[in-house]
Amino acid sequence: MTDLETFRAETRAWLEANCPAECRGPLENDEDRVWGGRNATFKTPAHRRWMEVMGERGWTAPEWPTEYGGGGLSREQAKVLASEMRRIDAQSPLSSFGIWMLGPALLQFGTEEQKTRFLPPIVRGEIRWCQGYSEPGAGSDLAGLQTRAEDRGDHWIVNGQKVWTSYADQADWIFCLVRTDPDAPKHLGISFVLFDMATPGVTTRPITLISGKSPFCETFFDNVRVEKENLVGTLNRGWDVAKALLAHERTMIGAMGDMGRPMGQVAVDSLGLDDSGRLDEPMLRAKIAELEIDVAAFRLSMERVGDQVKAKQVSPAIASMLKYYGSELNKRRHELAMAAGGSDALEWESDRSRGGTPAREWLRTKANSIEGGTSEVQLNILAKHLLQLPGA
Amino acid sequence: MTDLETFRAETRAWLEANCPAECRGPLENDEDRVWGGRNATFKTPAHRRWMEVMGERGWTAPEWPTEYGGGGLSREQAKVLASEMRRIDAQSPLSSFGIWMLGPALLQFGTEEQKTRFLPPIVRGEIRWCQGYSEPGAGSDLAGLQTRAEDRGDHWIVNGQKVWTSYADQADWIFCLVRTDPDAPKHLGISFVLFDMATPGVTTRPITLISGKSPFCETFFDNVRVEKENLVGTLNRGWDVAKALLAHERTMIGAMGDMGRPMGQVAVDSLGLDDSGRLDEPMLRAKIAELEIDVAAFRLSMERVGDQVKAKQVSPAIASMLKYYGSELNKRRHELAMAAGGSDALEWESDRSRGGTPAREWLRTKANSIEGGTSEVQLNILAKHLLQLPGA
Amino acid sequence: MPLILTEEQTMLKEAADGFLAEHAPITHLRQLRDSRDADGVSRDLWRAFGEMGFAGVIIPEEHGGSGLGAVEAGVVAEALGRTLTPSPFFGSSVLAARVLSDAGSAEQQTAWLPRIAAGEAILSLAVDEGPKHQPSRITTTAERSGNGFKLNGAKGFVLDGHVADALIVAARTEAGVTLFLVDPKTTGVEIERTVMVDAHNAARVTLTDVQVDADAVIGLVDGGEAALEGAMNLGRACVAASLVGAGDQAFISTVEYLRTRKQFGKAIGEFQALQHRAAHLFTELEIAKAAVLAALQRLDAGVDKADLAVSVAKAKAGRVAELAVQEAVQMHGGVGMTDEYDVGLFMKRVRVLNELLGDPGFHAERIARAGGY
Amino acid sequence: MPLILTEEQTMLKEAADGFLAEHAPITHLRQLRDSRDADGVSRDLWRAFGEMGFAGVIIPEEHGGSGLGAVEAGVVAEALGRTLTPSPFFGSSVLAARVLSDAGSAEQQTAWLPRIAAGEAILSLAVDEGPKHQPSRITTTAERSGNGFKLNGAKGFVLDGHVADALIVAARTEAGVTLFLVDPKTTGVEIERTVMVDAHNAARVTLTDVQVDADAVIGLVDGGEAALEGAMNLGRACVAASLVGAGDQAFISTVEYLRTRKQFGKAIGEFQALQHRAAHLFTELEIAKAAVLAALQRLDAGVDKADLAVSVAKAKAGRVAELAVQEAVQMHGGVGMTDEYDVGLFMKRVRVLNELLGDPGFHAERIARAGGY
């Protein structure tokens, strides 16, 4: 038995023994996710236990080094763990911007002290993080942000406003872009800092979206004290940290295009077949077939980019390609889902429509091409970095 | 009987008496058109006669004033003439850039002397004109033209090169944009001049297009003498004349989208129907139906714009809308025609494909969105003049 | 006939736009929605509509209406699309009024048309059954029973059905389709309001052994198809007008936003990529407007193939309005996703109007069939 | 297996690109076209292809080939797409070689495979009959006659049929489709070269009472469909690779043109509207490349549903290449319309490749059918 086979056998046994029955099977809805944090809520006690045992083992962040609480697994081992979890339909023990976004940035840019201090509580789900990037005046032009940090010796005083802060009202800490040098060119006066959302002067207000309630908030900073030791990376060079982190986020959002049941089946369930065995809406059918071709090709393209990245055959800016195409595809997919659902899918509150799920999901996808950098920003990046067009 | 009814009766009688049998029925191909000019060729003697009798009456330019050789008809009378000609399927007696483009410009901008001198020979088909606008370095950026006219007192000496001059090798005279003030801002140093193509120093070379031989030429000017009396409009204000003339050309090209048999019928002839009575290529069928909707709507839009112009409810820049949409639509139409034709339509020389007509027409349409101002230029114009977007 | 509004039609347009801007701007929709109004529609507003002559725009003057045509109905529908006003206009003033005017008995007309015109009564047409509009496959049945008929079936997407004073139900009879005027209080009629994504109103109607008298039949037994199709064609053209209104209004807001919103140190409308998309959308909207006005004019002229002009209009207006609201949300960026901004409301409304009385695919199919392919 | 080329495959790609750049750049196509070459294809070049191992890329080593797979055939096809080189590669090295390797008798293989691999023989597969690719509706018949069969029918779009040393004809027999190896000199075979828009080569073949012996049958009587379908799927994936090659090459020239051509005082590549369109096209091309490589790999792996991966690849590559050449001509402006520039040649070639072995609509239909809708 190879080492990997041994690892698989051990992992399987451990998961069988430790993954509670309540934590197997698909999530019923998004609110059942485990996010951890100081004020964590759990659907069942089993969900808390599942987070804790996985956190202890570092398997909530399988590839992070063990010295920071991670699982210390190789890429191959991590794939085995993932496939074994899929095998028993295990739910994710912990959803976390700390794991998905901040952690990789800290591993790359953080000091030893920061890594030791911040990473283990992330792995164990003790501290829940949120991201403070966008501002009302600085959406696509992220670097145009105005939140300012005044130097007061050993700390800064931060004033300003963020927007689109996911779960800011429930997060414990924030990783945040602030302007530390108002006189520098706009990309050069920004720093990446961390602070506790319980610090006096921090307030949040949830935003209602066109799809209904949302995890997004407006977040206000009124003379918030931030310790200088919580600066990540170099002073005034926070843009580098932010960019690395955004590429990560982009790949995540792009992957949306890959989700869900085949659209042809969705449509057949709703509309049935005609005498020739074809979907009983010929025009819609043609659009669905084109979509499915694009979805299949995009899925392969994600795989190929992964392989190219691994083989170092491609620029990291390629993430913009996946983000752009994936989010546009996902929007198209939900437009067709609405057409396939017809008037049934237009109901907004009925039990029949599960509280308007199809329509709310459709509307929610419209943000895909805005959040994490708009489609227009991604195209700008591609024109500049991959096509090297002049003036891009 | 109203005056118009009387006019209709008289016109019908005159046409019956004067339109030769050879000049009734559709043109077999584009080369059968009558273009007139010093070296005019005619498919039959009847075609010459038809041009001449119509020219004498001024009915080759029905709405131009009689003092310049035109028909002097009202708009309503001209419509009657057109409908009576359609009734007997009369061919156009004369195709002419002089009538379509230069004439309207001269009527608006020319001196009395110029109108008296140039318009009557246009009406009678005695002088054939071509247009000298584009240059190799100045395509979309028409005002960037470099052909220069040096002032020599009572005349200019013109040097430079034009491109895309339709039928330059067969034309007698040219209306031409030249730079008369090299130091002025680029739109302000251009003049609109007329000269004989037989002037020493003028040479032409035909351009072969991707669709095969073409009417387009490169035209070279090597110390060509142009009399100052042949300036149209104000010195250095030729751009105003050019713009007026372009709007005319754009509407003409846009109208392309309106041509031809219904695409559904074209496809059925080539591909047949399936058992359910639908075109035996479901995906193509869906695209054809969408095209036909767009064609129908575009046709109505052309009609509406005409009515809006007449009612002075719209800016002349609206011509850019018709040009843009019409040419894109025509390209789409021919892409579908090629798909409907399948491999038969790919033959380039066979009798079966009438010498590759479908493919050559398809390729020819690709120029629609380039000639007379590219689609991009039209969109710029719309953004600026109709949407008033900043910086457009 | 020129493809522009006549002077009278232009005056009507100004009256409708002015009235709605004053009495039913988008805040009116928000107020009904956010207060979870039980009806989802204002009866006071509807009576005011009656007083203005909008509710009876196509109803003959002898029945208290304005006696105008399809173009005028389209003018009102377009105005409603611009302000997103919830009202029983499509169901009552267009579909039901047209069915009754065309095929109703003298008694039926006298009973209902003046009340519709006055904005006092709301009528609803119940056609659709499945998730898509398929009027050729009605399965609701009406069997002869006693002196009348017994109706069974289930209808959906019945506009304003939950507040209807009477329902017009299309049901299959022995040799065709028959239209019935049904009192919603009749035993066996169950009506469930379905709150829609756009906060406009519709209902599901279930009919279980619903007994109606013979005089409930509108027009001839087995002969309802022509009146139904006539009314639906008028309805489709009016919905297309509303689509153009909504799409155009979303576009106007977007162009305004492009002029004022700044990013990267300049107005975002200075970016050529957005300029070209806006110019393209402008073009599409102008073309859709032409198609819609032409369809309405042809309905008034009663020309051959007016139904195809209607399909062109409904399909084209639908696709274009869809593009308009998609571009509107995208160009507004984050704020376009918030409920606080209005663009999302336009997106929702356009989605519903697209589904109503046949989506672009349905109408493309009609075009293809009529074209013999 | 990672979705990138292996080291060996990359070397093959470099060899193919290098060879074609030296011996058969686009000027080679122009020369054949403008001299009105009687064959439209160079036999010398074809033999050189054989020497390089390209002509026999998928032919087993024991028959003189390179014994490689679909990915390698796709690599060559993509290179041919970049230089637009006319060659019998698809007909002879892919379709015919695959049919013979899969289903040919030992005699047939020995007779033909080494000669195909050496670039000495050209074989053509005759499938299509009408204007569209409809292999399920073959009407050419083969009736038993004497010791063999008598063939009747008409084939079109037969790649390089006018210079073929042998034809493989798909004909309907009593209970299925049978493949026949036919000597083009046989009585009753008429071959007409059809000069195509892209200056590549095809022919129409008419079969009138063409008598062939029993040993002309490839594989089993009535059992030709599997070998035919297998060869066509390989062919489709290779044509998709060529589409990507042509589309990508047109794109590369266009980006270069955007960087250098100046209008309004700046490089046209500075205009954001063109930047966005170029970036979109780049994205589409990358996605098409992934789909094509995946299809080729799956054919090699012999996995289930490789045919669907092929349809995805052919449809996607076709649409994307079409967009690429359209954008190429438009962004080149006037010069893009001239025969002197190469972009028009790419447009022509892509049009033909799109039609070859099923256009995007044909493959979308396969996807829909397989998806049960």
Side-chain angles (χ1 to χ4, degrees):
Chain A
M1 200 142 84
T2 65
D3 288 355
L4 213 56
E5 282 163 358
T6 312
F7 177 76
R8 185 182 292 277
E10 287 169 5
T11 301
R12 183 174 297 189
W14 187 87
L15 286 172
E16 278 301 354
N18 287 280
C19 182
E22 296 92 326
C23 301
R24 304 187 188 196
L27 286 181
E28 268 170 47
N29 64 59
D30 218 54
E31 280 135 45
D32 293 344
R33 278 173 182 273
V34 172
W35 286 95
R38 291 177 196 144
N39 308 308
T41 54
F42 299 92
K43 194 182 178 193
T44 68
H47 283 83
R48 172 192 287 272
R49 202 163 65 242
W50 175 226
M51 177 188 86
E52 286 174 352
V53 293
M54 285 290 277
E56 273 161 35
R57 237 177 143 80
W59 281 9
T60 50
E63 291 183 70
W64 291 9
T66 47
E67 62 262 47
Y68 308 127
L73 302 189
S74 70
R75 191 173 164 75
E76 270 58 43
Q77 288 175 318
K79 280 187 188 174
V80 167
L81 171 59
S83 82
E84 288 302 315
M85 285 178 67
R86 260 199 311 276
R87 201 185 64 84
I88 61 167
D89 227 356
Q91 292 166 13
S92 165
L94 180 61
S95 296
S96 161
F97 295 128
I99 292 173
W100 300 331
M101 300 173 78
L102 176 62
L106 278 180
L107 285 167
Q108 188 180 351
F109 294 96
T111 62
E112 189 54 38
E113 202 189 344
Q114 288 170 337
K115 291 190 251 190
T116 312
R117 177 176 168 207
F118 293 114
L119 295 178
I122 288 175
V123 174
R124 294 193 300 268
E126 292 164 4
I127 294 294
R128 181 171 180 181
W129 288 82
C130 66
Q131 178 197 48
Y133 274 30
S134 291
E135 299 185 5
S140 288
D141 182 14
L142 192 52
L145 60 90
Q146 298 298 325
T147 292
R148 64 190 187 284
E150 264 175 70
D151 192 330
R152 296 285 173 89
D154 62 343
H155 68 276
W156 288 286
I157 293 298
V158 172
N159 280 284
Q161 181 188 347
K162 295 287 175 184
V163 74
W164 306 116
T165 339
S166 304
Y167 299 109
D169 53 340
Q170 293 169 58
D172 304 314
W173 276 65
I174 188 168
F175 48 98
C176 190
L177 291 175
V178 297
R179 186 161 298 284
T180 38
D181 182 351
D183 302 323
K186 66 180 180 180
H187 289 84
L188 297 179
I190 294 170
S191 298
F192 188 100
V193 299
L194 314 176
F195 55 92
D196 194 319
M197 291 290 280
T199 317
V202 178
T203 50
T204 63
R205 187 164 65 201
I207 298 171
T208 302
L209 288 188
I210 57 177
S211 49
K213 282 194 195 126
S214 85
F216 298 109
C217 297
E218 293 178 287
T219 305
F220 304 89
F221 306 133
D222 181 19
N223 289 322
V224 176
R225 180 185 168 114
V226 176
E227 301 304 324
K228 287 223 174 145
E229 67 194 36
N230 292 346
L231 169 73
V232 178
T234 310
L235 182 68
N236 294 329
R237 288 293 184 279
W239 191 245
D240 299 338
V241 186
K243 269 199 307 186
L245 213 148
L246 272 176
H248 228 75
E249 187 185 5
R250 277 168 191 162
T251 310
M252 272 169 45
I253 296 172
M256 300 279 179
D258 191 27
M259 285 166 39
R261 290 183 67 206
M263 184 52 55
Q265 282 311 306
V266 172
V268 169
D269 289 351
S270 172
L271 306 173
L273 299 172
D274 69 12
D275 296 341
S276 66
R278 293 188 281 214
L279 184 69
D280 200 7
E281 289 275 334
M283 302 298 161
L284 179 60
R285 176 175 182 265
K287 286 189 194 300
I288 290 175
E290 292 206 341
L291 176 89
E292 289 201 338
I293 287 167
D294 286 343
V295 166
F298 177 66
R299 193 173 290 160
L300 294 164
S301 186
M302 284 199 295
E303 191 182 330
R304 175 168 173 262
V305 166
D307 294 331
Q308 286 176 317
V309 167
K310 205 170 153 196
K312 299 197 197 309
Q313 291 182 354
V314 74
S315 142
I318 201 77
S320 289
M321 181 186 100
L322 299 179
K323 161 71 167 76
Y324 163 63
Y325 203 86
S327 51
E328 296 296 335
L329 197 57
N330 202 35
K331 290 197 296 180
R332 228 172 95 205
R333 184 171 184 282
H334 280 268
E335 286 288 341
L336 293 182
M338 287 301 285
S343 53
D344 289 353
L346 299 176
E347 296 185 8
W348 189 241
E349 297 187 340
S350 63
D351 289 342
R352 209 183 289 107
S353 66
R354 292 167 291 130
T357 298
R360 290 172 198 272
E361 287 183 347
W362 160 65
L363 289 163
R364 178 63 184 80
T365 62
K366 300 303 176 191
N368 295 162
S369 52
I370 298 169
E371 59 202 327
T374 61
S375 282
E376 291 77 15
V377 164
Q378 308 310 323
L379 292 171
N380 286 343
I381 292 172
L382 292 172
K384 178 173 185 169
H385 293 288
L386 286 163
L387 305 184
Q388 275 132 33
L389 287 174
Chain B
M1 201 142 81
T2 65
D3 287 356
L4 212 57
E5 282 163 0
T6 310
F7 177 77
R8 184 183 293 276
E10 287 169 4
T11 301
R12 183 173 299 188
W14 187 88
L15 287 172
E16 278 301 354
N18 288 280
C19 181
E22 296 91 327
C23 301
R24 303 187 189 195
L27 285 181
E28 267 170 46
N29 64 59
D30 218 54
E31 280 136 45
D32 293 345
R33 278 173 182 273
V34 172
W35 286 97
R38 291 177 195 144
N39 308 307
T41 55
F42 300 92
K43 194 183 177 194
T44 69
H47 283 83
R48 172 191 289 272
R49 204 165 61 244
W50 175 226
M51 178 188 85
E52 287 174 352
V53 293
M54 285 290 277
E56 271 160 38
R57 238 178 143 79
W59 281 8
T60 51
E63 291 184 68
W64 292 8
T66 47
E67 61 261 46
Y68 308 127
L73 302 189
S74 69
R75 192 174 162 75
E76 269 57 45
Q77 288 175 318
K79 281 188 186 172
V80 167
L81 170 59
S83 82
E84 287 302 314
M85 284 179 67
R86 261 199 310 276
R87 199 184 65 85
I88 61 167
D89 227 356
Q91 293 165 14
S92 165
L94 179 61
S95 297
S96 160
F97 295 128
I99 293 172
W100 300 331
M101 301 172 78
L102 177 63
L106 279 181
L107 284 167
Q108 187 179 352
F109 294 96
T111 61
E112 188 54 37
E113 202 189 344
Q114 288 169 339
K115 290 189 251 190
T116 311
R117 178 177 167 204
F118 293 114
L119 294 177
I122 289 176
V123 174
R124 293 193 301 266
E126 291 165 4
I127 294 293
R128 181 170 179 182
W129 288 83
C130 65
Q131 176 196 50
Y133 273 30
S134 292
E135 298 186 5
S140 286
D141 182 14
L142 192 53
L145 60 91
Q146 297 300 323
T147 292
R148 64 192 187 285
E150 266 174 68
D151 193 329
R152 296 287 172 88
D154 64 340
H155 67 276
W156 289 286
I157 293 297
V158 172
N159 279 285
Q161 180 187 349
K162 295 288 174 182
V163 74
W164 306 117
T165 339
S166 303
Y167 299 108
D169 54 340
Q170 294 169 58
D172 304 314
W173 276 66
I174 187 168
F175 49 97
C176 190
L177 291 175
V178 297
R179 186 161 299 285
T180 37
D181 182 352
D183 303 322
K186 67 181 181 180
H187 289 84
L188 297 180
I190 293 170
S191 298
F192 188 100
V193 299
L194 314 175
F195 54 93
D196 195 317
M197 290 292 280
T199 317
V202 178
T203 51
T204 63
R205 188 164 65 202
I207 299 170
T208 302
L209 289 188
I210 58 178
S211 50
K213 284 196 194 121
S214 84
F216 298 109
C217 296
E218 294 178 287
T219 304
F220 303 88
F221 306 133
D222 181 20
N223 288 323
V224 175
R225 179 185 169 113
V226 175
E227 301 305 323
K228 288 222 176 147
E229 66 193 34
N230 291 347
L231 168 74
V232 179
T234 309
L235 182 69
N236 295 328
R237 289 292 184 281
W239 191 245
D240 299 336
V241 186
K243 270 198 307 186
L245 212 148
L246 273 174
H248 229 75
E249 187 184 6
R250 278 167 191 163
T251 310
M252 271 169 48
I253 297 172
M256 299 279 179
D258 189 28
M259 284 167 41
R261 289 183 68 208
M263 185 53 55
Q265 282 311 306
V266 172
V268 169
D269 288 352
S270 173
L271 307 173
L273 298 172
D274 70 11
D275 296 342
S276 66
R278 293 188 279 214
L279 185 69
D280 200 7
E281 289 275 332
M283 303 298 161
L284 180 60
R285 175 175 182 266
K287 287 190 193 299
I288 290 175
E290 291 205 343
L291 176 90
E292 290 202 338
I293 287 166
D294 287 343
V295 167
F298 177 67
R299 194 172 291 159
L300 294 164
S301 187
M302 285 200 295
E303 190 181 330
R304 176 167 172 262
V305 166
D307 295 331
Q308 286 174 317
V309 167
K310 206 171 151 195
K312 300 197 196 312
Q313 291 182 353
V314 74
S315 141
I318 202 76
S320 289
M321 180 186 102
L322 299 179
K323 162 69 169 77
Y324 163 63
Y325 202 86
S327 51
E328 296 297 335
L329 195 58
N330 202 35
K331 291 197 296 181
R332 228 172 95 205
R333 185 172 183 280
H334 280 267
E335 286 288 341
L336 293 182
M338 287 302 285
S343 53
D344 290 352
L346 300 175
E347 296 186 9
W348 189 239
E349 297 187 338
S350 63
D351 289 342
R352 210 182 289 105
S353 66
R354 289 167 293 128
T357 298
R360 291 172 197 272
E361 287 182 348
W362 160 64
L363 289 163
R364 178 63 184 80
T365 62
K366 300 303 177 190
N368 295 160
S369 51
I370 298 170
E371 59 200 328
T374 62
S375 282
E376 291 76 14
V377 164
Q378 308 311 323
L379 292 172
N380 286 343
I381 292 171
L382 292 172
K384 179 171 183 172
H385 292 288
L386 285 164
L387 305 184
Q388 275 132 33
L389 287 174
Chain C
M1 168 160 326
L3 266 175
I4 48 179
L5 295 183
T6 62
E7 221 167 294
E8 291 75 19
Q9 289 162 350
T10 305
M11 282 169 57
L12 176 66
K13 176 180 163 52
E14 283 160 10
D17 285 339
F19 175 83
L20 289 172
E22 188 179 342
H23 300 285
I26 296 178
T27 47
H28 174 70
L29 168 72
R30 288 187 179 276
Q31 193 271 323
L32 288 171
R33 181 191 73 166
D34 297 342
S35 66
R36 303 189 66 78
D37 184 273
D39 290 348
V41 64
S42 158
R43 289 206 175 246
D44 286 347
L45 180 74
W46 187 231
R47 271 186 291 270
F49 245 66
E51 280 160 32
M52 293 294 293
F54 302 150
V57 60
I58 65 155
I59 292 176
E61 288 174 286
E62 67 260 36
H63 292 298
S66 306
L68 298 169
V71 172
E72 289 80 4
V75 162
V76 175
E78 182 182 329
L80 288 167
R82 291 185 186 276
T83 50
L84 305 178
T85 313
S87 92
F89 184 75
F90 290 128
S92 206
S93 300
V94 176
L95 295 169
R98 180 62 183 264
V99 163
L100 289 172
S101 300
D102 271 11
S105 65
E107 289 76 15
Q108 288 166 340
Q109 294 185 346
T110 309
W112 291 109
L113 291 178
R115 295 184 59 207
I116 294 175
E120 280 165 14
I122 294 174
L123 267 72
S124 294
L125 182 67
V127 182
D128 288 357
E129 299 178 345
K132 301 300 275 189
H133 179 62
Q134 291 179 325
S136 62
R137 306 199 200 156
I138 289 170
T139 63
T140 294
T141 54
E143 282 172 53
R144 291 215 183 252
S145 158
N147 128 49
F149 292 84
K150 199 168 63 185
L151 275 62
N152 279 288
K155 296 285 184 179
F157 211 7
V158 180
L159 298 184
D160 303 294
H162 63 302
V163 288
D165 298 296
L167 299 166
I168 296 176
V169 175
R172 194 156 292 287
T173 38
E174 257 175 31
V177 167
T178 306
L179 300 174
F180 295 91
L181 201 50
V182 177
D183 182 339
K185 290 183 222 76
T186 315
T187 310
V189 177
E190 270 180 69
I191 300 182
E192 174 201 359
R193 178 182 175 192
T194 47
V195 173
M196 306 299 267
V197 61
D198 61 346
H200 285 232
N201 302 288
R204 290 183 184 262
V205 175
T206 317
L207 305 154
T208 313
D209 291 336
V210 175
Q211 183 70 42
V212 296
D213 289 344
D215 60 8
V217 173
I218 303 174
L220 298 176
V221 174
D222 297 333
E225 215 148 338
L228 183 61
E229 184 63 15
M232 288 195 303
N233 277 332
L234 177 64
R236 287 158 181 154
C238 287
V239 173
S242 221
L243 277 162
V244 158
D248 197 48
Q249 198 61 39
F251 174 66
I252 289 169
S253 313
T254 304
V255 169
E256 188 49 36
Y257 191 76
L258 290 177
R259 291 200 192 106
T260 49
R261 165 75 171 173
K262 288 201 160 49
Q263 291 276 276
F264 303 103
K266 49 184 181 176
I268 59 175
E270 289 185 54
F271 288 100
Q272 196 199 29
L274 298 188
Q275 289 180 349
H276 279 199
R277 280 159 53 186
H280 171 75
L281 179 52
F282 167 82
T283 300
E284 290 280 14
L285 279 164
E286 289 300 306
I287 289 167
K289 287 174 195 171
V292 170
L293 183 53
L296 293 163
Q297 285 186 353
R298 278 162 208 209
L299 286 172
D300 280 333
V303 298
D304 230 27
K305 301 196 179 170
D307 58 332
L308 295 184
V310 166
S311 278
V312 166
K314 180 72 166 67
K316 185 69 189 167
R319 293 265 181 247
V320 171
E322 188 178 289
L323 178 67
V325 294
Q326 287 172 354
E327 289 287 50
V329 169
Q330 180 66 21
M331 291 189 187
H332 274 79
V335 300
M337 282 300 297
T338 62
D339 184 66
E340 195 186 333
Y341 268 65
D342 290 336
V343 284
L345 298 175
F346 283 95
M347 177 171 273
K348 294 170 176 182
R349 181 67 183 144
V350 164
R351 178 70 238 156
V352 173
L353 291 173
N354 251 328
E355 214 55 59
L356 191 56
L357 295 170
D359 72 359
F362 171 91
H363 290 286
E365 185 68 23
R366 285 220 304 183
I367 296 288
R369 284 284 185 188
Y373 64 97
Chain D
M1 164 160 327
L3 266 176
I4 48 179
L5 295 183
T6 64
E7 223 168 293
E8 293 75 18
Q9 289 162 349
T10 305
M11 283 168 56
L12 177 66
K13 176 182 162 54
E14 283 161 8
D17 284 340
F19 175 84
L20 289 172
E22 190 179 342
H23 299 285
I26 295 178
T27 47
H28 174 72
L29 168 72
R30 287 185 179 277
Q31 192 272 322
L32 288 171
R33 181 192 71 164
D34 296 343
S35 66
R36 301 190 66 79
D37 185 273
D39 291 349
V41 64
S42 159
R43 288 208 175 245
D44 287 346
L45 179 75
W46 187 231
R47 272 184 292 270
F49 244 67
E51 280 160 31
M52 292 295 293
F54 303 150
V57 60
I58 65 154
I59 292 176
E61 288 174 286
E62 67 262 33
H63 292 298
S66 305
L68 297 170
V71 172
E72 289 81 4
V75 162
V76 176
E78 182 181 329
L80 288 167
R82 290 184 187 277
T83 50
L84 306 179
T85 314
S87 94
F89 183 75
F90 290 127
S92 206
S93 300
V94 176
L95 295 170
R98 179 62 183 264
V99 164
L100 289 172
S101 301
D102 271 11
S105 66
E107 290 76 15
Q108 289 166 339
Q109 294 186 345
T110 310
W112 290 108
L113 290 177
R115 296 184 60 206
I116 293 174
E120 280 164 14
I122 293 174
L123 267 72
S124 294
L125 182 68
V127 183
D128 288 357
E129 300 178 344
K132 300 301 275 188
H133 179 62
Q134 291 179 324
S136 62
R137 306 199 199 156
I138 288 170
T139 62
T140 295
T141 54
E143 284 172 51
R144 295 221 181 245
S145 158
N147 128 48
F149 292 83
K150 201 169 62 186
L151 276 61
N152 278 287
K155 297 284 185 180
F157 211 9
V158 180
L159 299 185
D160 303 294
H162 62 303
V163 290
D165 299 297
L167 299 166
I168 296 175
V169 176
R172 193 155 293 286
T173 38
E174 258 174 29
V177 167
T178 307
L179 302 174
F180 295 91
L181 201 50
V182 177
D183 182 339
K185 291 182 222 75
T186 316
T187 311
V189 177
E190 269 181 70
I191 300 183
E192 174 201 358
R193 177 181 175 194
T194 46
V195 174
M196 305 298 267
V197 61
D198 62 346
H200 285 234
N201 303 288
R204 289 182 185 263
V205 176
T206 317
L207 305 156
T208 314
D209 291 335
V210 175
Q211 183 69 41
V212 296
D213 289 345
D215 60 9
V217 173
I218 303 173
L220 299 175
V221 174
D222 296 333
E225 216 148 338
L228 183 62
E229 185 64 15
M232 288 195 302
N233 276 333
L234 178 64
R236 287 160 181 152
C238 288
V239 173
S242 223
L243 277 163
V244 158
D248 197 47
Q249 199 60 39
F251 174 67
I252 289 169
S253 314
T254 304
V255 170
E256 187 50 36
Y257 191 76
L258 290 177
R259 291 199 192 106
T260 50
R261 165 76 171 173
K262 288 199 159 54
Q263 289 276 277
F264 302 103
K266 50 183 180 178
I268 59 174
E270 291 184 55
F271 289 98
Q272 197 198 29
L274 297 189
Q275 290 181 346
H276 279 200
R277 279 158 55 185
H280 171 75
L281 179 52
F282 167 82
T283 299
E284 290 279 13
L285 279 164
E286 290 300 306
I287 288 167
K289 287 175 195 171
V292 169
L293 184 53
L296 293 163
Q297 284 185 353
R298 277 162 208 208
L299 286 172
D300 280 335
V303 299
D304 229 28
K305 302 198 178 168
D307 58 330
L308 294 185
V310 166
S311 278
V312 166
K314 180 73 167 64
K316 184 71 189 167
R319 293 264 180 245
V320 170
E322 188 178 290
L323 178 66
V325 294
Q326 287 172 354
E327 288 288 50
V329 169
Q330 180 66 23
M331 290 188 188
H332 275 79
V335 301
M337 280 300 297
T338 62
D339 184 66
E340 195 184 333
Y341 268 65
D342 290 338
V343 283
L345 298 174
F346 284 95
M347 177 171 273
K348 293 170 176 180
R349 181 67 182 145
V350 163
R351 177 71 239 157
V352 173
L353 291 173
N354 250 329
E355 214 55 58
L356 192 55
L357 295 169
D359 72 359
F362 172 91
H363 290 286
E365 185 70 23
R366 286 221 302 185
I367 296 288
R369 284 283 185 189
Y373 64 96

